């Protein structure tokens, strides 16, 4: 391969990373979860949709200065998905998190 072609491919890869940010995730299997069920997660459309939303929040948060948390709450996935998209729920969780952390809402940038 010529040096120009190698350089082009390197620049193309770097530009793609800038334009299309990505996050590399490790999803650990919680204790008691069936290994086969855990191995099927990448093919689960609901799981992928929720994971994409979390990654989007994470990337936006890095840019805008907010933090996306994963809360260990046991709910059916359809209920959790609705809550993740409910702005009033998100505001309430944010308020509670600030209260528990000992921060006054007036001190935060939002």
């Amino acid at each position: 391969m010529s040096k120009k072609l190698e350089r082009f491919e390197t620049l193309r890869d770097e530009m793609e990373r800038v334009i299309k940010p990505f996050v590399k995730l490790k999803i650990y299997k919680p204790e008691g979860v069936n290994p086969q069920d855990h191995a099927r997660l990448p093919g689960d459309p609901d799981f992928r949709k929720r994971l994409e939303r979390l990654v989007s929040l994470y990337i936006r948060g890095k840019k805008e200065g907010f933090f996306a948390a994963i809360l260990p709450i046991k709910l059916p996935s359809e209920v959790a998905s609705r809550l993740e998209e409910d702005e009033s729920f998100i505001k309430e969780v944010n308020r509670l998190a600030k209260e528990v952390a000992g921060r006054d809402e007036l001190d935060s940038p939002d």
Side-chain angles (χ1 to χ4, degrees):
M1 188 182 307
S2 74
K3 289 192 181 259
K4 286 184 180 183
L5 185 56
E6 285 179 29
R7 179 74 178 136
F8 168 77
E9 288 180 353
T10 301
L11 287 172
R12 182 194 63 208
D13 292 345
E14 288 176 12
M15 287 301 296
E16 188 170 307
R17 279 190 221 109
V18 169
I19 293 168
K20 295 181 179 180
F22 68 94
V23 176
K24 188 174 183 178
L25 301 170
K26 288 185 180 182
I27 301 172
Y28 296 98
K29 183 180 79 60
E31 198 173 305
V33 171
N34 180 325
Q36 290 80 16
D37 290 342
H38 184 68
R40 284 192 290 266
L41 279 177
D44 180 348
D46 183 51
F47 175 77
R48 290 180 64 93
K49 178 183 169 192
R50 293 180 65 205
L51 188 59
E52 286 172 6
R53 186 173 190 289
L54 180 62
V55 169
S56 174
L57 286 171
Y58 175 78
I59 291 171
R60 197 171 12 150
K62 286 289 198 179
K63 189 171 87 178
E64 297 173 5
F66 68 83
F67 175 74
I70 298 174
L71 304 173
I73 299 171
K74 295 184 187 242
L75 291 171
S77 62
E78 58 276 356
V79 173
S81 293
R82 281 197 315 265
L83 288 175
E84 289 168 350
E85 296 173 7
D86 183 337
E87 290 298 321
S88 62
F89 174 76
I90 300 298
K91 285 180 182 177
E92 182 63 14
V93 169
N94 192 36
R95 185 192 67 74
L96 288 170
K98 289 176 185 175
E99 185 179 302
V100 170
R103 290 183 54 194
D104 186 334
E105 253 183 75
L106 298 175
D107 294 337
S108 71
D110 60 347

